[in-house]
Amino acid sequence: MSDAGLIDLKGVGQKGLIKLNKIGIYSLEDLLFHLPIRYNDKTKLSKISDLEPGKKFLFEGKVDKANVIFFKKRMFVVRISDETASIQLRFFYFNKSQIKNFTIGKNVRCFGELRLANNVKEVVHPECQFFENERPPLDEFLTPVYPLTEGLHQYSLRNYIKQSIELLKIGKIHLPELLPKKVLDKYEFVDIKSALSNIHRPDKSTSHEDLISSNNKNKQRLVFEELLAHQLIFKRIRSFNKTLESFPLDNNMQPIKKLISKLAFKPTDSQMHVMQEIIDDMQRKTPMTRLVQGDVGSGKTLVALFAALHAISNGFQVAFMAPTEILSEQHYQSIKLMLKDFKINISLLYGGMKTREKKIVTEDIKLGNVDLIIGTHALIQNQIEFKNLALIIIDEQHKFGVHQRMTLTSKGRKSETYPHQLILTATPIPRTLAMTLYGNLDYSVIDEMPKGRKEIETIALSETRRDEIFKKISKKCHEGNQVYWVCPIIDESEVLECKAAIKTHEQIKKNLKKINVGLIHGRMKMAEKEQVMRDFRNKKIDLLVSTTIIEVGLDVPNATVIIIENSERMGLSQLHQLRGRVGRGDKKSTCILIYKSGLNDTARKRIDILRKNNNGFDIAKEDLEIRGPGEILGKRQKGDINFKIANVTRDYKYINDTKECSETISDKLSEKLVKRWINENVEIGKI
Ligand code: ADP
Ligand code: MG
């Protein structure tokens, strides 16, 4: 009996095949591993009076009213009621036949999420099913909801997967068990076929709570297998890296010693320790791939500079990539100053530069006239060619995707020789978590702050107390302090964020006439941004209103106050990162979090955590506890590695176990596991 293929499913056809391919599904096995993101519970009916905001419900009612109205835009609004209460349904997209369906007195069964709009209970775009006297039967099973691609409907996908589960049951799909028997026994996991079939088609006895719980046995089994697959690919990348050639450097520490002797401060023990780990790595014939984690302000730039100086002293070029133009400009200025006693050519490259200047720098890079090139993504553009790049430094790694990292690596590649890679991040993640996300990298931590740093005092104030804040700030500025005033807009566009900053800038100027107020945002030209930053650094500006573009890396030690608007809507780690713009010198610093009044308990707790903690690790840990999994890494990082079912913040209890297990898996089995779980063509050696 031969195995069935996607095309054997009813309703797929050539078009369906293309759509499935688009989401990485090429075989029935892939389809079986396309797992639900959640479930809809249409197995029971709720009374309208029992509906709660933020949850999905199945409910019924009779149509009382149905009208097309204009309120900003055209919409269709319906009111239905059962014997307990009434509720509003709202449609923004609708056609004539839908309007016709909602005749007064008709019975309708709806499924959707309740929300409160100005205290009115409503459901936007519910699924609707009309019926006469006879009630349609309720679903017997929970309905899985799958991640989609454009043009592929939920019901088609559901239908295809349902068919494949049936094929699996009658043995038409060959799906090998890839977990060793020992593992299955040890954790009491079910076999793969039962696990998949229970997840896609949960049986009647499975409750919704059990299915979405992290303790669900079927799910845990898949989570374990997926994490194992990731450990296996890391293992493969690590051993592949060992077969690659890089540029072995010497161990002459003279240049670094010279640099240390010129510094205004003594590097911390932690900085020295991490620097040594890097130098040791770079003496090897194989490429270094090291991640350095250090809280905001721990002095990561200096460690990177040691590494750069070492590679340059060995006669090679170094690329230093930062996520924003102002950050690369700042690195350029401060590194130039720190290396002024060395014969080193340093250039800056970013997208907004004049074409002519860019051409010169590009040419210099190619000819080897520059030793250290600092810049943004511009460094990874096609026309950039290095003469002899031996080290790549990536600052604030979490702002770049894996993809960009790969491109830069391949740039340094000279036939079969790869540059060393040093990746810096302030992301405060526990070691086990780092192992899951970056298991292919070696890992160092700078766990010590430079001496003399004072704790940052953190205050939360309601928006209604703006006048008080103005007074406070005016006093601070007159005492010679400099201030950041940050205006983040969450989940909206950069344009809106800039508008908010511009508005706040006007307002502050009006209220604080004697203070020099500056403005910086992402839509200004690079030259303007540079000028504003220079003025701020030279104290010509006392108060700088900005968008979140100052979030990473900026270093103006005389700035001692930061005010953050909309703080109730921001992640704790992001707030901590922003707060890290102050407290960089030896003066006492303050962070004022402005929030909208009417905070709920969670929000209050979050602000309390920030007030009580000055350490990124502790903050992340506490945030994890109150906000639950998933939030802590923020959106950008979640995209870094896509898990199908594992949630690293929730499931990291399995990380050590899967790592251990990965050592016992044969190459053949490893290949199968990786193929099953990681279908995004990880190109080995390029990460
Ligand atoms: P981050 O780790 O956030 O990138 P930076 O590298 O920008 O931190 O360093 C923060 C500030 O601390 C800079 O002004 C830097 O010059 C200074 N600094 C770095 N190392 C030390 C040290 N060992 N002692 C005192 N100041 C230091
Ligand atoms: Mg930095």
Side-chain angles (χ1 to χ4, degrees):
M1 196 159 52
S2 71
D3 276 7
L6 285 175
I7 201 74
D8 298 323
L9 298 178
K10 284 191 203 87
V12 168
Q14 282 305 324
K15 272 193 193 152
L17 209 56
I18 292 170
K19 285 176 189 161
L20 287 169
N21 290 171
K22 239 189 179 165
I23 47 175
I25 297 173
Y26 295 91
S27 66
L28 287 174
E29 179 168 344
D30 292 342
L31 191 59
L32 288 171
F33 281 90
H34 192 69
L35 301 168
I37 33 175
R38 55 186 163 82
Y39 297 87
N40 283 339
D41 187 355
K42 296 190 209 167
T43 62
K44 48 181 181 286
L45 268 176
S46 301
K47 293 288 172 215
I48 293 179
S49 61
D50 291 339
L51 309 190
E52 295 163 34
K55 285 194 194 155
K56 292 195 162 181
F57 293 95
L58 188 72
F59 56 95
E60 290 176 355
K62 267 193 195 327
V63 178
D64 299 330
K65 256 198 318 203
N67 293 307
V68 174
I69 62 163
F70 288 86
F71 181 70
K72 289 187 191 156
K73 62 184 186 191
R74 195 166 163 261
M75 56 186 88
F76 182 44
V77 177
V78 178
R79 181 156 279 283
I80 67 167
S81 60
D82 65 8
E83 68 278 13
T84 65
S86 75
I87 190 168
Q88 179 163 297
L89 314 176
R90 193 197 296 264
F91 300 83
F92 296 103
Y93 309 99
F94 52 94
N95 54 32
K96 276 199 189 119
S97 75
Q98 273 167 309
I99 299 177
K100 243 162 103 191
N101 269 330
F102 283 95
T103 48
I104 310 291
K106 205 165 178 186
N107 291 316
V108 60
R109 178 179 288 176
C110 305
F111 182 78
E113 183 178 321
L114 181 81
R115 65 168 204 181
L116 286 178
N118 295 326
N119 264 334
V120 177
K121 278 185 176 180
E122 72 168 19
V123 177
V124 176
H125 284 276
E127 290 170 31
C128 295
Q129 186 180 15
F130 296 92
F131 62 96
E132 306 272 318
N133 300 328
E134 202 171 320
R135 286 205 155 127
L138 292 173
D139 281 2
E140 288 188 39
F141 307 99
L142 296 171
T143 324
V145 179
Y146 296 102
L148 289 175
T149 179
E150 215 175 304
L152 189 59
H153 287 290
Q154 195 61 246
Y155 58 77
S156 319
L157 200 50
R158 232 174 247 158
N159 175 313
Y160 303 157
I161 292 175
K162 187 175 155 203
Q163 292 180 55
S164 21
I165 288 287
E166 273 148 24
L167 290 172
L168 180 69
K169 281 190 176 152
I170 57 166
K172 277 275 188 181
I173 302 176
H174 175 63
L175 187 73
E177 174 60 63
L178 299 185
L179 283 185
K181 182 154 187 322
K182 256 202 251 157
V183 173
L184 292 176
D185 290 347
K186 180 173 171 194
Y187 299 94
E188 295 176 3
F189 286 148
V190 294
D191 65 285
I192 185 71
K193 281 186 189 170
S194 318
L196 283 175
S197 116
N198 289 334
I199 288 216
H200 289 296
R201 313 253 327 138
D203 70 37
K204 272 189 228 170
S205 61
T206 320
S207 73
H208 193 237
E209 289 69 34
D210 176 27
L211 261 184
I212 55 173
S213 133
S214 59
N215 292 327
N216 178 290
K217 275 278 167 208
N218 300 302
K219 207 151 104 186
Q220 282 190 340
R221 190 235 121 93
L222 295 177
V223 166
F224 190 97
E225 200 181 304
E226 181 170 38
L227 290 175
L228 177 62
H230 279 267
Q231 289 300 339
L232 288 167
I233 189 120
F234 289 150
K235 195 174 144 207
R236 246 160 80 181
I237 293 172
R238 282 195 307 264
S239 58
F240 182 75
N241 276 351
K242 289 207 183 96
T243 68
L244 297 177
E245 298 261 320
S246 187
F247 305 88
L249 307 182
D250 63 22
N251 62 356
N252 176 9
M253 299 298 281
Q254 280 318 311
I256 290 179
K257 282 195 180 138
K258 179 175 161 191
L259 174 60
I260 293 175
S261 74
K262 307 265 173 196
L263 290 174
F265 48 77
K266 197 170 158 281
T268 60
D269 291 346
S270 201
Q271 282 170 318
M272 292 300 281
H273 179 76
V274 174
M275 177 263 284
Q276 195 58 54
E277 286 180 320
I278 295 167
I279 304 290
D280 290 348
D281 278 356
M282 293 197 299
Q283 282 175 49
R284 303 214 175 90
K285 285 199 192 75
T286 55
M288 162 175 78
T289 44
R290 185 169 288 276
L291 177 74
V292 172
Q293 195 270 326
D295 207 351
V296 256
S298 61
K300 293 183 289 292
T301 322
L302 182 63
V303 171
L305 189 57
F306 287 147
L309 180 59
H310 192 72
I312 294 165
S313 308
N314 272 265
F316 292 104
Q317 286 178 309
V318 174
F320 192 150
M321 187 155 100
T324 63
E325 291 188 348
I326 43 173
L327 188 51
S328 42
E329 155 80 12
Q330 172 191 286
H331 281 328
Y332 175 69
Q333 297 298 347
S334 67
I335 289 175
K336 231 171 48 174
L337 202 66
M338 283 199 263
L339 294 183
K340 69 178 181 331
D341 298 314
F342 293 82
K343 266 211 189 109
I344 289 178
N345 295 319
I346 310 176
S347 291
L348 177 64
L349 186 74
Y350 55 81
M353 260 163 77
K354 290 205 182 77
T355 318
R356 196 165 39 86
E357 289 173 35
K358 243 194 274 185
K359 228 172 137 185
I360 297 173
V361 178
T362 310
E363 196 62 18
D364 280 347
I365 296 174
K366 197 166 157 191
L367 296 173
N369 295 339
V370 300
D371 308 306
L372 176 57
I373 171 83
I374 301 174
T376 57
H377 307 84
L379 288 182
I380 56 175
Q381 255 130 45
N382 276 336
Q383 62 274 31
I384 311 293
E385 221 182 285
F386 291 86
K387 179 159 181 255
N388 58 354
L389 179 68
L391 170 65
I392 294 166
I393 300 165
I394 298 167
D395 193 15
E396 302 294 354
Q397 165 275 340
H398 59 285
K399 297 277 163 181
F400 296 104
V402 169
H403 197 66
Q404 285 160 332
R405 238 156 46 208
M406 293 197 283
T407 324
L408 190 53
T409 320
S410 60
K411 287 231 163 262
R413 185 177 166 178
K414 285 270 177 266
S415 63
E416 283 312 305
T417 316
Y418 291 78
H420 298 290
Q421 267 190 84
L422 181 64
I423 297 156
L424 311 179
T425 182
T427 310
I429 48 177
R431 197 180 183 91
T432 34
L433 192 48
M435 262 160 52
T436 339
L437 290 174
Y438 312 112
N440 54 322
L441 306 172
D442 292 311
Y443 184 64
S444 306
V445 187
I446 305 181
D447 53 8
E448 184 185 359
M449 279 291 178
K451 293 212 170 55
R453 294 279 161 85
K454 299 256 182 344
E455 292 238 318
I456 303 167
E457 180 194 19
T458 302
I459 315 170
L461 288 176
S462 153
E463 202 181 35
T464 51
R465 291 165 70 181
R466 242 164 230 277
D467 286 344
E468 210 175 304
I469 300 173
F470 285 137
K471 269 197 208 118
K472 217 179 171 91
I473 293 311
S474 160
K475 185 162 165 272
K476 285 271 183 197
C477 287
H478 285 119
E479 288 167 1
N481 294 288
Q482 285 176 285
V483 178
Y484 289 106
W485 194 302
V486 193
C487 310
I489 290 203
I490 292 87
D491 283 341
E492 292 187 57
S493 70
E494 194 198 7
V495 182
L496 285 180
E497 198 181 61
C498 296
K499 272 194 188 152
I502 293 166
K503 219 171 112 197
T504 308
H505 177 239
E506 293 303 316
Q507 193 195 21
I508 294 174
K509 270 206 324 209
K510 242 188 252 153
N511 280 279
L512 300 173
K513 291 219 169 64
K514 288 189 198 136
I515 285 171
N516 295 320
V517 185
L519 172 68
I520 192 162
H521 60 71
R523 295 175 72 82
M524 283 161 56
K525 289 224 172 65
M526 185 55 198
E528 295 171 288
K529 282 190 276 190
E530 267 171 35
Q531 189 57 47
V532 173
M533 278 319 297
R534 212 170 293 139
D535 288 349
F536 190 55
R537 209 163 277 133
N538 298 335
K539 304 184 192 169
K540 281 190 199 151
I541 291 175
D542 303 310
L543 188 157
L544 182 61
V545 179
S546 92
T547 57
T548 44
I549 57 166
I550 62 138
E551 178 182 337
V552 284
L554 276 203
D555 185 42
V556 181
N558 193 54
T560 57
V561 182
I562 184 162
I563 295 151
I564 307 170
E565 305 249 12
N566 290 327
S567 61
E568 77 281 3
R569 295 175 59 195
M570 297 174 70
L572 284 190
S573 293
Q574 194 187 6
L575 284 172
H576 176 66
Q577 180 85 26
L578 271 171
R579 176 171 69 175
R581 291 315 110 219
V582 300
R584 306 195 135 235
D586 44 18
K587 282 210 255 177
K588 186 169 164 34
S589 297
T590 312
C591 168
I592 302 179
L593 303 172
I594 302 188
Y595 64 88
K596 291 228 160 52
S597 34
L599 282 190
N600 64 23
D601 274 358
T602 315
R604 224 178 280 282
K605 253 194 217 150
R606 280 163 24 90
I607 287 172
D608 256 13
I609 292 172
L610 274 177
R611 280 174 35 191
K612 291 187 189 130
N613 289 290
N614 260 317
N615 173 310
F617 265 108
D618 297 344
I619 290 172
K621 229 167 69 199
E622 298 241 16
D623 201 16
L624 177 63
E625 268 158 36
I626 55 165
R627 286 212 297 177
E631 301 273 1
I632 167 177
L633 290 169
K635 266 192 213 132
R636 293 185 191 93
Q637 284 141 12
K638 262 191 259 168
D640 237 3
I641 289 180
N642 285 318
F643 289 97
K644 289 186 188 189
I645 190 163
N647 177 324
V648 286
T649 49
R650 177 194 66 200
D651 299 319
Y652 67 85
K653 58 176 186 245
Y654 283 136
I655 292 168
N656 279 327
D657 298 21
T658 47
K659 193 160 192 242
E660 235 167 64
C661 180
S662 73
E663 301 301 330
T664 67
I665 302 280
S666 71
D667 285 355
K668 213 168 134 201
L669 191 53
S670 161
E671 201 164 309
K672 285 185 185 158
L673 277 159
V674 168
K675 187 163 169 280
R676 179 178 279 179
W677 288 98
I678 305 166
N679 57 10
E680 52 206 74
N681 291 329
V682 181
E683 235 187 290
I684 307 230
K686 281 200 171 178
I687 285 192

